Amino acid sequence: MAESTDIPSADPKARFSDRVADYARCRPGYPLAARGAILDGLGPYPDLEVADVGAGTGISSHFLAGAADQPGPVVHAIEPNAAMRSSAQPHPRITWRDGSGETTGLPDSCVDVVVCAQAFHWMRAEEAMREFARVLRRRAPSGARGRVALVWNVHDDADAFVREYRRVMLAHAKDPPKSPWATQEHVAIASSVLFTNYRLVRFPYEQRFDETGLIGRATSSSYVPREGEAFESMKRDLSAVFRKYQKEGRVTMPYRTEIHLAEVAS
């Protein structure tokens, strides 16, 4: 097969269409403590409504809604990419909507929390923040103000394996990675007059992969090749990193789950 010369779509809403399966299978979840940081203090979980904006394949939506047999918030999963929406597993408290951070399609003052997990850096920040402020209730069931939570799993660069993994990814990138630690998109919420009481909380998290899973984690990123000699070269380099760091056939990828929180202003 000839090496692909395709570059990722300039439209962020379409960038992941060709890697949905890897995204659903290999992207990380979130530590349970993160759910508490996002929801606690707003009232009983079953009384809450959450907008999960940029919900992707539903990883964060399922995390927020909880197990099907346990009480949890109602989640409005907002995702503009049809391929990602269609791959999501059903859940009794999750409803899906074609929408974006800038135009969710939700009514005014209808949710207690807006969550963006691994997604805010793809949005036009000022427009998205205005939309979040519009759909948030000024008072949650507890009387607290509606809340926004921007969530990212950030690679822990103190780890030698992570440093080598990221070196390989950058070496084979088809276009510059867009990531929160590079773009600092979360600063927008900290300085916005639409929100108040900004704070950041962090929790450790990790994934464990066999070699196939590590390759899938890499190809779930929109900026790396998926075919041709460029992909084969990246795969060889990642396999070498895997062999160097694996223990009993697996590697551990540590993260910091970072949650940027603020309440809607009056």
Side-chain angles (χ1 to χ4, degrees), residues 37-40 42 112-114 136 145-148 199 262-263:
I38 294 167
L39 300 177
D40 283 359
L42 294 173
D112 306 294
V113 190
V114 171
L136 278 168
R145 291 186 180 278
R147 179 178 297 164
V148 65
R199 67 268 189 206
E263 275 70 50

Side-chain angles (χ1 to χ4, degrees), residues 59-110:
I59 296 171
S60 50
S61 298
H62 280 259
F63 171 72
L64 292 162
D69 61 348
Q70 296 175 352
V74 169
V75 177
H76 304 275
I78 313 296
E79 171 56 46
N81 188 301
M84 298 189 91
R85 288 197 311 273
S86 65
S87 73
Q89 295 298 310
H91 188 291
R93 289 191 302 281
I94 300 174
T95 58
W96 285 85
R97 179 187 292 268
D98 179 3
S100 67
E102 300 83 2
T103 309
T104 63
L106 293 171
D108 293 350
S109 304
C110 67

Side-chain angles (χ1 to χ4, degrees), residues 227-239:
E227 60 183 6
E229 178 53 33
F231 167 72
E232 295 300 331
S233 177
M234 182 186 72
K235 184 177 176 182
R236 287 192 294 271
D237 288 350
L238 286 171
S239 293

Side-chain angles (χ1 to χ4, degrees), residues 195-231:
F195 296 93
T196 186
N197 191 31
Y198 168 80
R199 67 268 189 206
L200 167 63
V201 295
R202 295 184 175 97
F203 302 100
Y205 192 61
E206 65 181 31
Q207 280 183 293
R208 287 178 56 78
F209 296 109
D210 60 14
E211 187 172 351
T212 299
L214 181 64
I215 303 301
R217 174 65 181 88
T219 54
S220 74
S221 297
S222 66
Y223 57 85
V224 301
R226 284 185 53 83
E227 60 183 6
E229 178 53 33
F231 167 72

